[in-house]
Amino acid sequence: SSHILYLAHMCTHAGSIHCPAVHMLPSPCLQLLLALALLGCVSTDELEKQEQSRQILELAENGNAQAQFFLASDYFYGQNGYEKQQQLGLEWMTKAADGGSVDACEFMAKILNGGHALVEKNQRRAIHYGELAAKKGSVNAMEVLSIAYQDAAHLAEEERAKKVFKWTSQAGKLGSLRGQKNLGDLFRMGKGTKKDYKKALRWYKKATETYSDLTVPTEGVQVQQKWQENRTLASQAWNSLGGMVAQGMGAAKDIDKAISYFKTAHELGHPNARQSIKMFQE
């Protein structure tokens, strides 16, 4: 029953689950639980939350890293019936990350890179946890690394630029809109790699295509925030496309096409696109 409750708790954290967590379950049990979940036979509504929490706590105390991540999230955000205790949440999150939870490593990398009222910024530790998760395929961690390495004071500028390009490139190739847009920037400016306008255009266009394939979210604060971030990134990609095409960088100069790119950037909220439209229409 503990495995059923564990899977159910995983369902309440949809969007932050990685396959390695699921594979901690015994294979026959895993196949049965997945089949039940697909049939709609397993849901948190059918399970008593008190018992569920007890089972997750037991798993966490016994060293299950993914259960520790769930428990840490519940304490940190004050969800699933838990009182908000961020310090305790951080303690469990650190245990989970040190125990190998990809989700926890992502969380620690982000909070150590950005800082928090309870956590001092620490680029080295952010990079440590980010690389642990990124090497297991976490695109979110790759995005964090591409930012964290920009401020890695313990590295020479050239080495920082190479690391930023490495992780931005990997994130972009795995479908990250942020990675794709930023990769366009790096090729356009020649940072961490040779300047290449054609590749810059290609990655900006790829970012706009990734954005166009996204579904507009209808609920969830964090999901809405991510959507707005993606919208901003897409507007930046369209604006950069407009600027490059208007100047003939990597493609034939085409003012009409540039204006159409600026208009799309403006529709997505880019603050400078309207001025660019006016300038090139005159």
Side-chain angles (χ1 to χ4, degrees):
S1 62
S2 63
H3 289 317
I4 295 177
L5 291 167
Y6 180 34
L7 182 63
H9 200 76
M10 292 174 73
C11 293
T12 69
H13 294 75
S16 65
I17 299 166
H18 291 268
C19 288
V22 180
H23 287 298
M24 287 189 290
L25 299 174
S27 182
C29 181
L30 172 61
Q31 293 173 10
L32 173 60
L33 290 174
L34 290 178
L36 289 172
L38 289 171
L39 290 171
C41 298
V42 176
S43 71
T44 54
D45 292 337
E46 300 166 0
L47 305 168
E48 295 182 6
K49 288 190 175 183
Q50 185 177 2
E51 177 64 9
Q52 180 190 93
S53 296
R54 187 189 70 78
Q55 294 285 1
I56 291 297
L57 177 60
E58 181 180 335
L59 286 166
E61 290 178 337
N62 287 332
N64 185 301
Q66 198 63 13
Q68 291 172 342
F69 165 73
F70 292 144
L71 184 62
S73 299
D74 289 341
Y75 276 125
F76 190 84
Y77 295 112
Q79 60 191 20
N80 294 318
Y82 281 82
E83 180 183 351
K84 191 173 184 177
Q85 299 183 61
Q86 292 192 320
Q87 185 59 55
L88 184 56
L90 287 170
E91 292 173 9
W92 276 110
M93 195 67 74
T94 301
K95 288 182 181 180
D98 291 340
S101 166
V102 174
D103 295 301
C105 285
E106 279 183 15
F107 181 98
M108 293 303 297
K110 288 178 183 178
I111 205 167
L112 287 165
N113 182 62
H116 184 271
L118 297 175
V119 182
E120 190 173 335
K121 288 182 69 172
N122 187 318
Q123 250 67 47
R124 287 190 184 225
R125 289 188 68 207
I127 288 170
H128 166 71
Y129 285 119
E131 292 207 345
L132 287 176
K135 288 175 181 178
K136 293 183 179 180
S138 168
V139 176
N140 289 333
M142 294 174 193
E143 291 182 356
V144 175
L145 287 171
S146 70
I147 298 171
Y149 270 115
Q150 294 177 24
D151 301 319
H154 61 288
L155 296 177
E157 184 177 353
E158 184 178 354
E159 182 64 17
R160 291 202 302 270
K162 288 181 179 179
K163 291 288 189 179
V164 169
F165 179 79
K166 171 187 174 180
W167 291 113
T168 302
S169 179
Q170 289 198 26
K173 290 175 180 177
L174 289 174
S176 162
L177 194 157
R178 180 179 296 279
Q180 292 164 354
K181 197 284 295 184
N182 288 348
L183 199 51
D185 290 342
L186 296 179
F187 275 118
R188 176 171 57 82
M189 296 183 289
K191 288 189 174 183
T193 187
K194 184 178 179 180
K195 187 178 292 186
D196 191 322
Y197 292 148
K198 288 186 177 180
K199 287 184 178 180
L201 287 173
R202 188 185 313 152
W203 282 106
Y204 284 139
K205 289 178 180 177
K206 183 63 178 174
T208 65
E209 291 168 1
T210 296
Y211 177 78
S212 67
D213 289 338
L214 297 177
T215 302
V216 180
T218 57
E219 59 183 21
V221 176
Q222 291 182 332
V223 176
Q224 292 283 353
Q225 290 176 343
K226 182 65 176 178
W227 171 258
Q228 185 55 52
E229 289 176 13
N230 287 333
R231 184 180 174 87
T232 298
L233 290 167
S235 76
Q236 293 169 351
W238 280 113
N239 196 67
S240 295
L241 280 171
M244 293 187 71
V245 172
Q247 299 175 70
M249 300 167 65
K253 185 175 181 178
D254 190 327
I255 300 301
D256 290 337
K257 183 179 287 187
I259 290 174
S260 72
Y261 290 160
F262 286 133
K263 285 182 177 179
T264 303
H266 174 64
E267 291 170 0
L268 292 174
H270 196 284
N272 302 324
R274 179 186 286 275
Q275 184 59 38
S276 297
I277 294 170
K278 290 182 178 180
M279 181 176 68
F280 285 105
Q281 282 181 333
E282 293 177 352

